[in-house]
Amino acid sequence: QVQTFRHILSHKNLEFMPQCIKNICVYVGPDHPLYHAKSIEFAELPNLKFVRGVKDFFSMEHHLERVSMGVIDSENLCHVAYTNSDHLVINFLLHSDVCSLGLDFMHEPYAQYPIKSIPINGCEPFLQIGYVFDPKRRLSPHANWVVDRFQEML
């Protein structure tokens, strides 16, 4: 995907300004045996129970099937529940030994919960986040404001 993305940018005379890189992690709650673990190995993933979000174009699950995470295919994971509800995912994580695969990026409204992200050893960077701009044009004050809020969020 990177080569195609760079080709499109070059063709349209645009540039990409990277802001950060996010890795894949396993989210666990206080009832999970890995809650105090510092990291996890790929080989351990098939032994865990996962709650999975609904696959749509914008979900990470959609893209995991197209990107090699390493030595495991996400389809080989033990998914015990599928949902489109963040509330249900949070409750699974808080009150069971079920975990969730995701990007290591805790959105502020969820930071209030005792949910931890466990890094996966040997996992290559999964998602580079940034913005596209025209180098021949200055960003407007509004665009600069958006970029500043974006950086704060990251």
Side-chain angles (χ1 to χ4, degrees), residues 1-2 20-25 59-70 102-104 123-129:
Q1 292 176 337
V2 172
C20 73
I21 295 174
K22 297 296 181 184
N23 292 321
I24 295 173
C25 69
S59 72
M60 187 194 69
E61 286 86 358
H62 172 78
H63 298 287
L64 279 177
E65 293 177 355
R66 290 158 178 75
V67 178
S68 171
M69 294 187 325
L103 291 174
D104 194 4
C123 183
E124 294 182 7
F126 182 75
L127 179 67
Q128 186 173 37
I129 300 173

Side-chain angles (χ1 to χ4, degrees), residues 92-109:
F92 265 115
L93 296 177
L94 291 176
H95 306 291
S96 75
D97 64 345
V98 172
C99 57
S100 177
L101 194 62
L103 291 174
D104 194 4
F105 178 58
M106 184 66 76
H107 188 53
E108 188 176 334

Side-chain angles (χ1 to χ4, degrees), residues 73-88:
D73 180 353
S74 65
E75 292 301 315
N76 293 333
L77 301 178
C78 177
H79 294 101
V80 296
Y82 295 84
T83 183
N84 65 350
S85 168
D86 286 347
H87 182 72
L88 185 61

Side-chain angles (χ1 to χ4, degrees), residues 26-29 31-34 40 44-52 76-81 89 92-93 95-101:
V26 175
Y27 284 104
V28 298
D31 291 339
H32 198 282
L34 294 173
I40 186 171
E44 296 177 71
L45 296 181
N47 302 324
L48 303 175
K49 295 183 283 186
F50 288 90
V51 58
R52 181 175 178 167
N76 293 333
L77 301 178
C78 177
H79 294 101
V80 296
V89 170
F92 265 115
L93 296 177
H95 306 291
S96 75
D97 64 345
V98 172
C99 57
S100 177
L101 194 62

Side-chain angles (χ1 to χ4, degrees), residues 104-125:
D104 194 4
F105 178 58
M106 184 66 76
H107 188 53
E108 188 176 334
Y110 304 117
Q112 66 181 311
Y113 301 105
I115 296 171
K116 292 186 178 177
S117 65
I118 310 294
I120 302 170
N121 293 328
C123 183
E124 294 182 7

